[in-house]
Amino acid sequence: GQSLEQPSEVTAVEGAIVQINCTYQTSGFYGLSWYQQHDGGAPTFLSYNGLDGLEETGRFSSFLSRSDSYGYLLLQELQMKDSASYFCAVWGATNKLIFGTGTLLAVQP
Amino acid sequence: EAQVTQNPRYLITVTGKKLTVTCSQNMNHEYMSWYRQDPGLGLRQIYYSMNVEVTDKGDVPEGYKVSRKEKRNFPLILESPSPNQTSLYFCASSLQGRDQPQHFGDGTRLSIL
């Protein structure tokens, strides 16, 4: 089967750094994406890793290790507005996009 | 403005009454897809389409139909809705398939009684 695992909840304080991990098991792999979703809203794209290594976009970075079937999203200088759900998603062997069940990030003052 | 538009945003209906949720994008995207989101289950792909007249099943296609007669439109059809299809539905599009960011609509909240 195909599955993605990520923690269900993470709590951090404003200004801190938080890492959200994602491990995957899929038939075929073409890349790992991350999406942010505020409560009740549409998911929005954050980053994509097709190759091993770190991708940086402002305060957000994403890492991929294909040999370990593992990736993470790193959020730095946390702000209250970063409180949201974060989903990892994998493009598998077909053109399906498979999402994890999401990590609810709570940023506290 | 580049966007994915879904209609309706909210719908309460009854079991067995056929309904269609429309999805339209104005970005000339080739790839379009439908997802449902349920608490604790994340987003699950229902159907996707690589281009006009090309559609494929996602992970949870049972009870749904789609069509892609024009590039911009990708309606989701529930021929005989049942209460287990009560969910939040999202349509999304991207320029092509893999490695492209998905642009999501604002969602449609369906309640089937």
Side-chain angles (χ1 to χ4, degrees):
Chain A
Q2 303 187 99
S3 66
L4 286 81
E5 290 192 15
Q6 52 181 128
S8 59
E9 294 183 24
V10 173
T11 302
V13 297
E14 240 181 330
I17 299 173
V18 72
Q19 179 174 311
I20 300 173
N21 298 321
C22 175
T23 57
Y24 59 87
Q25 182 177 2
T26 58
S27 53
F29 176 84
Y30 283 92
L32 180 69
S33 299
W34 289 92
Y35 288 81
Q36 178 192 60
Q37 185 184 32
H38 286 99
D39 191 29
T44 56
F45 173 80
L46 290 176
S47 68
Y48 172 79
N49 293 75
L51 301 173
D52 286 358
L54 192 68
E55 294 283 342
E56 297 180 75
T57 308
R59 295 186 297 114
F60 293 2
S61 304
S62 59
F63 172 83
L64 174 65
S65 169
R66 295 168 68 117
S67 60
D68 295 322
S69 298
Y70 163 77
Y72 66 73
L73 179 69
L74 191 73
L75 297 83
Q76 303 181 72
E77 301 172 19
L78 280 174
Q79 301 175 9
M80 296 298 290
K81 68 178 182 179
D82 297 329
S83 293
S85 290
Y86 293 84
F87 295 88
C88 57
V90 166
W91 291 97
T94 63
N95 285 296
K96 292 182 185 179
L97 183 58
I98 304 158
F99 281 82
T101 52
T103 298
L104 181 62
L105 171 64
V107 180
Q108 297 178 340
Chain B
E1 180 188 352
Q3 59 186 2
V4 177
T5 304
Q6 297 178 226
N7 280 296
R9 293 291 315 281
Y10 304 90
L11 179 63
I12 301 173
T13 187
V14 295
T15 299
K17 186 177 181 181
K18 180 180 178 180
L19 68 90
T20 299
V21 185
T22 63
C23 175
S24 181
Q25 51 91 7
N26 63 0
M27 295 170 279
N28 201 35
H29 284 171
E30 293 185 353
Y31 187 93
M32 296 186 74
S33 60
W34 276 102
Y35 302 86
R36 61 177 289 174
Q37 185 173 28
D38 303 290
L41 296 178
L43 289 135
R44 293 180 292 168
Q45 195 173 48
I46 303 170
Y47 270 95
Y48 64 95
S49 170
M50 293 296 296
N51 213 325
V52 176
E53 302 292 359
V54 180
T55 62
D56 275 298
K57 296 178 180 178
D59 284 334
V60 288
E62 295 77 21
Y64 304 94
K65 286 176 59 177
V66 293
S67 68
R68 188 91 182 272
K69 297 177 181 176
E70 305 165 289
K71 198 171 189 177
R72 62 183 294 126
N73 295 323
F74 191 46
L76 179 70
I77 303 157
L78 286 72
E79 293 269 4
S80 182
S82 62
N84 65 11
Q85 293 177 298
T86 292
S87 188
L88 177 59
Y89 291 85
F90 288 101
C91 179
S93 73
S94 63
L95 191 59
Q96 293 172 340
R98 298 175 188 143
D99 78 25
Q100 298 290 317
Q102 297 289 294
H103 300 261
F104 283 82
D106 288 334
T108 295
R109 191 167 290 280
L110 279 182
S111 292
I112 299 164
L113 308 177

